[in-house]
Amino acid sequence: MADKLKVLVTGGAGYIGSHMVFALLDAGHQPVILDDFSTGHDALIAPNVPVYRGNVGDSDVTDKLFAEHSFDAVMHFAASIIVPESVSNPLKYYLNNTVSTARLIRACVDAGIDKFVFSSTAAVYGNQDAGLIAEDAPCQPENPYGASKLMSEQILRDVAKAHDLSYVILRYFNVAGADAAGRAGQLSKPATHLIKIAVELVTGQRDSMQVFGTDYSTLDGTCIRDYIHVSDLSAAHVAALDYLVAGGASLTANCGYGRGASVREVLASVANVSGSKLAIENAPRRDGDAASLVADSSLLRDRLGWQP
């Protein structure tokens, strides 16, 4: 494990970012949060962690932040992440994800920060013929969300070639779960993640839910995803930080378990655990949804020593 490091966590008041802050604290590091609170929550902020309110693409905010702190690394989570919204409002995603990320990377270069861990997504892959998707699979995003993240990846790679900057890009599959100690969880309203929507249904917070697309070329006709627990995901980021501190070369790695579950299988599990019958309505496919996304995560396990 690396010595105590000061790490900027963008989006640190959000779902994944808040778990990352606690993981850094648990590992003995010193996180600092930058979040514009467009989707973040005060309730998710760890005690005694400095918080800066503002957008990562605002140079006035980052100039002040980097003048007041000497960071060893940046972990960049702040982003817009809702696939259907990216289809209906693509400019929001290219501005908030790609342009703001480019501005943040520029601020890091200007401040001499040479370690960067980037939150990317399996959405960069789009539809694939292979069962397990490896990092060298062709990137063909089906939606502006995935495209905005792929562009950000390329910016990071190009900047790293021109400047003293090392990175780990982590491509998330479907993140689920909550901190085992109850310190953080998924508070998004309205809910956009399948498991949270299903749990709201069985706890009486909604009357019904929809399954979008039942005619995919999968065993039961619904989309298949690789669900990774948020604490395992956070552990992958700690491993990435240790790897960069040890002098590891820049790399891109998938974050998933290598096994998929269909929408119907997830809902059957929720019904089984809760003892409830779920009121489910079949609906047409959503634009931008790939049929199946399941990770080959062997690179993350082999190179970074990650053990979920």
Side-chain angles (χ1 to χ4, degrees), residues 115-243:
K115 298 173 184 65
F116 198 97
V117 181
F118 180 57
S119 164
S120 192
T121 172
V124 301
Y125 294 118
N127 277 309
Q128 298 283 334
D129 294 330
L132 294 182
I133 302 170
E135 292 82 0
D136 59 358
C139 290
Q140 47 199 28
E142 294 279 315
N143 51 68
Y145 166 59
S148 72
K149 287 288 194 175
L150 185 60
M151 289 177 185
S152 298
E153 287 189 12
Q154 189 60 53
I155 291 167
L156 186 54
R157 291 191 187 96
D158 290 341
V159 173
K161 291 176 184 175
H163 297 277
D164 182 19
L165 180 69
S166 298
Y167 63 81
V168 173
I169 294 168
L170 294 175
R171 291 174 174 166
Y172 308 171
F173 283 65
N174 279 50
V175 188
D179 178 61
R183 298 173 296 180
Q186 196 175 109
L187 300 182
S188 54
K189 290 187 181 300
T192 58
H193 291 65
L194 173 65
I195 296 173
K196 181 169 169 56
I197 290 171
V199 170
E200 287 184 352
L201 179 59
V202 301
T203 53
Q205 298 174 63
R206 59 175 67 218
D207 296 326
S208 64
M209 67 177 291
Q210 293 179 308
V211 172
F212 296 98
T214 58
D215 59 346
Y216 287 96
S217 56
T218 59
L219 286 176
D220 62 19
T222 62
C223 290
I224 293 173
R225 296 292 183 266
D226 187 336
Y227 292 89
I228 174 174
H229 195 281
V230 66
S231 294
D232 282 334
L233 183 69
S234 299
H237 286 74
V238 174
L241 182 61
D242 290 343
Y243 170 83

Side-chain angles (χ1 to χ4, degrees), residues 3-28:
D3 294 334
K4 184 172 184 176
L5 304 172
K6 182 176 280 191
V7 182
L8 175 63
V9 182
T10 74
Y15 170 46
I16 299 173
S18 63
H19 286 84
M20 191 67 243
V21 169
F22 283 112
L24 287 167
L25 291 169
D26 292 345

